[in-house]
Structure formats: structure tokens, C-alpha cells
């Protein structure tokens, strides 16, 4: 949800949607070229919008690399502000590791955790999740204030809080009572 909230303020997003509404079955590079945007920006918008069913895609295989073509579906997205406020309430809380049996794939130079092996399942972490988890103390500690994590990392507070919420939902970290 936080990805969608971040892009909704972009006028470029609505130009992409409006273009796609009138021109179905276009790939990100042709949309970007037509609108004068960077291909990566258009691709990112479309990936997020596809998660929420606003656009759909199909892969076309011709000579050369396959091409993902998008079309506008429209629809509604419901934003649960109570859920978002719960995430922001985390800022005043402490967290720590949830269980000590999980194994981590560390990158000590980057001070991050790339993934977690938990109950035999590999969980790949985003950059923000990995940096947050690197700072989280073990289960036998009193925890760390989330506001301290926000101070230490060079990511937007919004992204850090949603990453922590994801780690809690994955049962990797716990909020200390």
C-alpha cells in the first residue's frame, strides 16, 4: 500500500494512465518514449498499478526478448487509514527479533540482511527491511526504539515504518510490550 500512496501524488502517473486508457497493449518503453518519461519510471508505476488491478499485462513473445504489454483496467482502490495510522503508531514502540531460530544472510559491508531462512523457507528482504533488521537486537534484549532506527537510517520514515510493519507481519520481529 505504501508504494501506491507514494506514486499517487505524481502527475506523471496520471499521464501514464491516461495514455494507456487510450492506447492499450503498450510496453513501458513505448509509453515512456511517447510521453517523454524515463522507462524505469513508467515500468515502476505499471508494476505497482498491476498489483492493485488498475492495469493488467500479458507477455508477448516474438523474435528477441519477450515484451510485457499493459492495458488499463480502471477500478477502485480502498485506502484503510486506520491501518496506515497503526503503522505510524509503531514509531513510539520498541522492537526486537521474534525468534532466535531464524538464520540470516548478512552483508556486513553494507550493514544489511539480504534474506532470512525461517522454518526452511527463504524470505528475501527489501533494501529497507534488510537495513532495519540489521539494527534490530536479539530476542533476549529489551528492544530498540523504532524512532532510533529512523534516526540511524537514510530512508524516508514512511518506508522504514512500513518495512517494520512487514517484518512484524512476517513474524521476524516483534513489538515489545
Amino acid at each position: 500500500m505504501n508504494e501506491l500512496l507514494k506514486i499517487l501524488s505524481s502527475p506523471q502517473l496520471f499521464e501514464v494512465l491516461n495514455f494507456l486508457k487510450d492506447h492499450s497493449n503498450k510496453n513501458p518503453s513505448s509509453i515512456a518514449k511517447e510521453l517523454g518519461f524515463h522507462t524505469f519510471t513508467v515500468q515502476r508505476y505499471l508494476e505497482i498499478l498491476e498489483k492493485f488491478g488498475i492495469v493488467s499485462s500479458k507477455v508477448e513473445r516474438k523474435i528477441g526478448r519477450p515484451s510485457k504489454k499493459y492495458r488499463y483496467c480502471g477500478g477502485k482502490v480502498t485506502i484503510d487509514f486506520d491501518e496506515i495510522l497503526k503503522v505510524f503508531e509503531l514509531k513510539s514502540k520498541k522492537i526486537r527479533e521474534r525468534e532466535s531460530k531464524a538464520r540470516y544472510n548478512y552483508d556486513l559491508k553494507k550493514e544489511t540482511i539480504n534474506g532470512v531462512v525461517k522454518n526452511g523457507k527463504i524470505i528475501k528482504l527489501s533494501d529497507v527491511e534488510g537495513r532495519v533488521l540489521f539494527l534490530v537486537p536479539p530476542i533476549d534484549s529489551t528492544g530498540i526504539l523504532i524512532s532510533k532506527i529512523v534516526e540511524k537510517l537514510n530512508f524516508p520514515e514512511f518506508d522504514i515504518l512500513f518495512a517494520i510493519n512487514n517484518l512484524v507481519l512476517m513474524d521476524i520481529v516483534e513489538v515489545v510490550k
Side-chain angles (χ1 to χ4, degrees), residues 129-166:
E129 290 166 346
R131 291 290 309 277
V132 166
L133 189 55
F134 191 84
L135 297 174
V136 174
I139 192 166
D140 58 354
S141 74
T142 59
I144 184 172
L145 279 172
I146 292 173
S147 59
K148 294 291 183 192
I149 292 174
V150 170
E151 287 175 18
K152 290 181 179 184
L153 295 179
N154 192 23
F155 290 107
E157 178 180 79
F158 189 78
D159 293 349
I160 293 170
L161 293 174
F162 273 91
I164 290 169
N165 189 60
N166 288 343

Side-chain angles (χ1 to χ4, degrees), residues 20-140:
L20 203 53
K21 186 177 176 185
D22 296 334
H23 305 90
S24 273
N25 296 318
K26 296 289 184 179
N27 66 19
S29 62
S30 65
I31 296 169
K33 185 177 181 180
E34 185 70 31
L35 297 175
F37 299 154
H38 195 280
T39 302
F40 178 78
T41 302
V42 172
Q43 178 66 42
R44 187 75 183 125
Y45 288 162
L46 294 172
E47 288 172 355
I48 294 167
L49 293 170
E50 188 171 27
K51 286 182 189 178
F52 291 92
I54 297 169
V55 300
S56 66
S57 69
K58 68 177 183 176
V59 176
E60 279 189 5
R61 298 187 189 284
K62 294 183 179 179
I63 297 173
R65 291 177 31 184
S67 178
K68 202 170 191 182
K69 305 277 180 124
Y70 289 86
R71 70 177 186 84
Y72 176 76
C73 299
K76 294 181 182 181
V77 175
T78 303
I79 298 172
D80 185 344
F81 282 97
D82 293 331
E83 182 182 319
I84 293 168
L85 289 174
K86 282 182 187 175
V87 171
F88 277 91
E89 288 174 5
L90 287 173
K91 189 175 176 185
S92 62
K93 310 274 187 197
K94 286 183 171 184
I95 58 170
R96 65 181 176 204
E97 286 182 4
R98 176 106 176 125
E99 65 178 64
S100 58
K101 293 181 182 177
R103 294 187 331 244
Y104 300 126
N105 176 353
Y106 290 93
D107 184 334
L108 294 176
K109 285 184 180 180
K110 294 182 180 177
E111 296 183 336
T112 192
I113 297 174
N114 298 318
V116 177
V117 178
K118 183 178 174 201
N119 300 327
K121 183 180 174 188
I122 299 171
I123 303 168
K124 181 158 174 35
L125 301 177
S126 71
D127 291 340
V128 181
E129 290 166 346
R131 291 290 309 277
V132 166
L133 189 55
F134 191 84
L135 297 174
V136 174
I139 192 166
D140 58 354

